[in-house]
Amino acid sequence: MEKEFKKVFFGYDIEEVDKKLLDLEQEYEKIYEDYQQELTRLKNQKFDFESEIARLKSEMVEYNDFNEKLSSILTDSYFKSSEVVFNTKAKLDEKIEEKNLELDELQSKNTEIKNSVNSLLSKLENIVIEKKGM
C-alpha cells in the first residue's frame, strides 16, 4: 500500500496526496464499518448468552426447589412408614405374646383336664376292680 508521491515544485502533488488520503479514509471507513458490524454481532451474541445464562439459572433454581421438596417428601415418607412398621411390629409382638399366654393357659387347662380324666379313669378302674372283686 506504499505509494510514492511525485515531487512538485513546493513538495508533493496535492491532488495525489488528497486522492491517497481519500483512499485511506475510505479504506479505514470500511474497516471501521466491519468492526462496528462485528461489535454489534458480538453484543447481540453476548445478550443471547446472558439470556441463556439467566434462563438456565432460573431452571437450576426450579430443579433445586423440586429436589428439596422431593427430598423432604421422601424423608417424611420414610419416617412415617418406619413409624407405621415399628408400631405394627409392636402391636403384632403384643398380640403374639397374648396368644402365647392364651396357648400356655390352654395347655395348662389341657393338662389339668388330662389329669382329671386320668384320675377319673383311675377311680373308675378301681371301682370296676372292686366290683369284680366282690
Side-chain angles (χ1 to χ4, degrees):
M1 182 128 205
E2 292 288 317
K3 177 166 171 107
E4 298 220 7
F5 299 107
K6 291 183 200 170
K7 293 200 177 187
V8 287
F9 183 64
F10 288 107
Y12 294 106
D13 184 0
I14 293 177
E15 285 180 19
E16 281 185 38
V17 170
D18 287 346
K19 184 178 183 311
K20 178 63 178 173
L21 288 174
L22 185 62
D23 287 347
L24 285 173
E25 181 182 5
Q26 289 173 347
E27 187 178 322
Y28 283 120
E29 280 181 12
K30 171 71 171 116
I31 291 171
Y32 178 78
E33 286 174 13
D34 289 347
Y35 281 138
Q36 284 291 13
Q37 288 175 354
E38 180 67 9
L39 181 62
T40 301
R41 185 189 71 76
L42 291 172
K43 283 180 180 179
N44 289 337
Q45 189 176 26
K46 177 186 174 214
F47 176 79
D48 291 345
F49 287 152
E50 287 172 345
S51 297
E52 182 67 9
I53 288 169
R55 185 187 68 77
L56 290 172
K57 282 182 179 179
S58 174
E59 246 181 65
M60 192 169 75
V61 166
E62 287 178 31
Y63 286 132
N64 286 339
D65 287 348
F66 176 76
N67 190 30
E68 287 176 17
K69 287 177 185 174
L70 182 61
S71 178
S72 175
I73 289 169
L74 289 174
T75 301
D76 288 348
S77 296
Y78 173 78
F79 285 121
K80 286 178 182 175
S81 63
S82 294
E83 184 179 356
V84 167
V85 167
F86 178 79
N87 290 339
T88 302
K89 183 183 179 317
K91 286 178 183 176
L92 286 174
D93 287 345
E94 189 178 307
K95 291 264 185 197
I96 289 171
E97 185 63 30
E98 287 175 13
K99 294 302 176 184
N100 281 335
L101 289 174
E102 285 179 26
L103 181 62
D104 288 345
E105 286 178 23
L106 288 173
Q107 286 174 338
S108 178
K109 285 182 182 179
N110 186 30
T111 302
E112 286 177 22
I113 291 172
K114 281 183 182 180
N115 289 340
S116 294
V117 166
N118 285 337
S119 175
L120 287 173
L121 284 174
S122 183
K123 286 181 183 178
L124 184 60
E125 230 177 76
N126 287 339
I127 292 174
V128 168
I129 292 176
E130 279 181 21
K131 291 284 182 176
K132 280 188 181 178
M134 285 191 161

